Amino acid sequence: MKDAERTAMAGLVLTPELIEAFLEDLKNRGRVVDTIKAYRHHLNVFYDFLPKDKSIQKDTLSQWKAVLMEDGFAIRTVNLYLSAAKSLLEYCNRRDLQVSGSRTEPETIQPELTRTEYLRLLSTARNLENEQTYLLVKVFATTGISIRDLPKMTIKTIEKGRMVLPDGEEVRIPECIQAELLDFAKRNGIYEGPLFITRNKTPIDRNGINRLLHLLAADACVDKEKANTRCLRRLYLTTQKNIQANLALLMEQTYDRLLEKEQASIGWDQSE
């Protein structure tokens, strides 16, 4: 077997030291601080995605791309993540591991879950006494986290009411959701570690979450394509944008009323 073939089969083990060496190389080549910071974030997310042995194989980037898309990232954002990983592989002279599909893939239109459908999912889960699925739906729709962030929702994190994501973003856990989560943990004897676990006490994985959501969607008469964490996250983002738009309008109206009041009091009399 040729050395090149043997290397291709072996894959590449990603380590924190390798990431730092790559970032240092970027710095030496004159990349700006913001660019290096973005690469660091993207590669840390990539590192967390890799299996325990942190091995990168020929199909790894394709698998990561599918996961990022499932988590609700736009294709433009996905390409930025993939670009960072590909640059690192280029630095390691492992172009054989860069295959991830076309970078010009058009962004497909994803179905949107309405708030009415979301409430129907919750109501159905409650009527079926399926509390874990009920809470999963609620967590994704009220915090906007992705599947990969779910294991970080530990008892300690829930008690604090805040969770910090790998990129430093802080996610607030609303008080009413916090109370439900802690009550569920107490009744199920979960006193530490991740809240959402299987019967074997291991964190529930992506396939398990998707299976639960699809089963619930069938009972709730909601389109199966909408029963995923991607659509729940989009619902969260849409709700936040609508609230921000309403607040901006309210601020504008309040400001106008203030000016009108001042105008009526000391404004220039235009009749003069």
Side-chain angles (χ1 to χ4, degrees):
M1 181 181 294
K2 296 180 180 180
D3 291 341
E5 294 176 346
R6 186 178 294 106
T7 299
M9 291 181 62
L12 174 71
V13 175
L14 183 61
T15 65
E17 293 76 15
L18 180 55
I19 293 176
E20 290 303 319
F22 168 66
L23 296 175
E24 184 64 25
D25 180 69
L26 290 181
K27 181 180 178 180
N28 293 336
R29 287 191 282 138
R31 296 298 181 92
V32 298
V33 174
D34 287 346
T35 297
I36 295 175
K37 182 179 179 181
Y39 269 67
R40 184 187 302 279
H41 165 63
H42 297 340
L43 292 174
N44 284 339
V45 173
F46 183 46
Y47 183 84
D48 290 340
F49 160 77
L50 294 175
K52 289 183 179 181
D53 62 3
K54 302 304 175 183
S55 175
I56 304 173
Q57 302 297 329
K58 195 166 185 178
D59 59 348
T60 297
L61 290 192
S62 295
Q63 294 173 357
W64 190 37
K65 178 178 181 180
V67 168
L68 291 171
M69 294 293 291
E70 187 176 340
D71 283 346
F73 290 97
I75 187 63
R76 295 181 298 275
T77 304
V78 171
N79 284 335
L80 290 175
Y81 278 81
L82 292 173
S83 177
K86 289 180 178 180
S87 295
L88 181 139
L89 292 172
E90 181 81 18
Y91 166 77
C92 296
N93 196 28
R94 292 303 306 269
R95 298 179 183 85
D96 56 301
L97 302 177
Q98 290 181 334
V99 179
S100 64
S102 173
R103 293 191 60 189
T104 60
E105 178 182 339
E107 188 167 358
T108 58
I109 299 177
Q110 298 292 336
E112 293 192 15
L113 180 73
T114 67
R115 197 143 200 95
T116 299
E117 290 171 325
Y118 159 66
L119 294 176
R120 192 156 74 240
L121 288 173
L122 290 181
S123 178
T124 301
R126 187 178 63 180
N127 292 337
L128 294 174
E129 298 184 353
N130 193 339
E131 191 173 8
Q132 186 185 61
T133 305
Y134 166 89
L135 291 175
L136 280 170
V137 171
K138 220 169 191 182
V139 161
F140 288 120
T142 59
T143 65
I145 65 172
S146 62
I147 286 183
R148 69 173 182 273
D149 297 321
L150 191 63
K152 299 178 180 65
M153 184 160 285
T154 62
I155 302 302
K156 186 176 181 180
T157 294
I158 298 170
E159 290 174 342
K160 289 181 178 179
R162 306 260 174 187
M163 62 183 297
V164 180
L165 303 184
D167 61 356
E169 179 186 356
E170 191 175 83
V171 175
R172 184 177 72 91
I173 304 173
E175 289 186 9
C176 60
I177 312 300
Q178 182 184 17
E180 283 188 322
L181 294 174
L182 291 176
D183 182 62
F184 173 78
K186 182 178 180 181
R187 286 185 284 103
N188 287 274
I190 305 173
Y191 302 109
E192 61 181 2
L195 174 64
F196 293 100
I197 56 178
T198 66
R199 293 179 180 178
N200 296 325
K201 307 299 182 182
T202 58
I204 186 170
D205 61 14
R206 181 180 300 270
N207 291 333
I209 293 171
N210 288 331
R211 180 178 59 81
L212 292 174
L213 294 180
H214 289 165
L215 289 174
L216 177 61
D219 290 325
C221 297
V222 172
D223 190 341
K224 180 180 177 181
E225 293 184 358
K226 298 181 180 182
N228 54 62
T229 58
R230 179 179 63 251
C231 289
L232 289 170
R233 183 171 185 268
R234 182 172 292 129
L235 176 64
Y236 165 80
L237 295 174
T238 300
T239 302
Q240 292 291 315
K241 289 180 180 178
N242 290 339
I243 292 175
Q244 291 171 4
N246 290 336
L247 286 175
L249 178 60
L250 180 61
M251 290 175 62
E252 184 178 299
Q253 293 173 341
T254 302
Y255 185 59
D256 284 347
R257 284 195 295 269
L258 172 65
L259 296 181
E260 290 169 0
K261 183 179 179 180
E262 293 175 345
Q263 182 71 17
S265 175
I266 57 173
W268 195 271
D269 188 349
Q270 297 180 11
S271 63
E272 297 178 359

